[in-house]
Amino acid sequence: SQLKDMGINTIYGGDYAALLEQTEGPAVVVAISTVTAYMRSIGRIQIAEGVYPYNNTVNVFDPDFVTSAYAAAATAITEGGYANMPNLFGYTTDNELPSGTDMLDRYLMLDPNEEPTNGFSYAVAWTWLARRMDNPAPTLDEFLASPEHDKMNSEFLGFVYGRNYRIAREAIEAVDPNHMYLGSRVNGNCRTNEDYLRVAGYYLDIISNNLYG
């Protein structure tokens, strides 16, 4: 009742089971780990919140990420019984994933020989760049010197998040097609980046942001 008096009608986090039992309480948003769980499964645990090893990249282009995301969503939603909860509002996946304006730089500079789990991320980034520059074999120097360097970094940021959100949304809808998907609680550049906002607007029902006072 205190939350309602304050004008708060939806809450996130805490003891989901206890919150969802309060039928007269506010609507509840449940967090599911898709990217973070997959990164952990391949031994790439966060260095800090939203910061990952190997150039702060996430492996959303790995084929196994798709299988992992579907399994994570199915397990969380089925075991929690969330799909049939009357005051469930929807889901987020992960929290404050990498969002630097040098996103493409960092993927292109991965070394798959140093770390085999870099392989798909590295290959996808270079394939994307070749198509974007209309050059079958661009060099890193050509990319860095391009007048569109910053624009391509921004576009690739949207490309990474688009891949992540498409898979996460499909994984959630496979188990629960009736509730909202709110993305990954972004911070930093994503809040104002046009390429991020474009893909978020396409795949998400609502864009969730973390705002700090």
Side-chain angles (χ1 to χ4, degrees):
S1 62
Q2 289 181 331
L3 292 175
K4 287 185 176 181
D5 290 342
M6 296 169 63
I8 297 173
N9 58 20
T10 307
I11 57 176
Y12 166 91
D15 186 341
Y16 298 127
L19 292 170
L20 289 164
E21 287 176 357
Q22 306 301 314
T23 55
E24 299 300 319
V28 178
V29 175
V30 169
I32 299 173
S33 173
T34 52
V35 172
T36 306
Y38 178 67
M39 296 298 285
R40 188 182 301 116
S41 75
I42 61 173
R44 295 175 64 152
I45 299 171
Q46 293 184 69
I47 300 169
E49 184 67 31
V51 180
Y52 290 85
Y54 301 105
N55 298 358
N56 196 20
T57 56
V58 289
N59 293 49
V60 296
F61 300 112
D62 290 14
D64 287 345
F65 170 62
V66 180
T67 306
S68 176
Y70 270 75
T75 299
I77 295 171
T78 302
E79 291 184 355
Y82 299 135
N84 298 316
M85 294 289 186
N87 59 332
L88 176 74
F89 186 80
Y91 306 94
T92 62
T93 53
D94 305 292
N95 179 59
E96 294 187 3
L97 296 171
S99 61
T101 54
D102 59 346
M103 182 76 78
L104 183 54
D105 292 4
R106 290 185 276 111
Y107 276 77
L108 294 173
M109 294 179 189
L110 289 168
D111 185 351
N113 295 315
E114 174 193 8
E115 171 52 51
T117 60
N118 288 330
F120 285 106
S121 296
Y122 178 83
V124 168
W126 279 101
T127 300
W128 185 94
L129 181 66
R131 292 174 178 172
R132 176 62 175 77
M133 296 187 72
D134 195 20
N135 179 346
T139 66
L140 185 61
D141 287 341
E142 288 172 335
F143 164 64
L144 294 173
S146 169
E148 291 196 303
H149 170 262
D150 292 348
K151 188 173 188 301
M152 286 188 278
N153 262 304
S154 177
E155 291 172 2
F156 191 74
L157 170 68
F159 184 65
V160 171
Y161 272 88
R163 162 80 174 181
N164 175 25
Y165 287 163
R166 177 179 65 80
I167 292 169
R169 183 183 186 97
E170 291 173 353
I172 290 169
E173 287 186 340
V175 192
D176 180 0
N178 299 317
H179 289 97
M180 298 286 188
Y181 176 42
L182 292 81
S184 55
R185 299 173 63 212
V186 296
N187 188 30
N189 300 304
C190 285
R191 294 206 303 264
T192 57
N193 180 278
E194 181 177 344
D195 292 291
Y196 167 78
L197 293 172
R198 184 177 296 110
V199 298
Y202 186 83
Y203 289 111
L204 308 184
D205 297 302
I206 296 174
I207 299 174
S208 57
N209 296 303
N210 285 341
L211 301 175
Y212 300 98

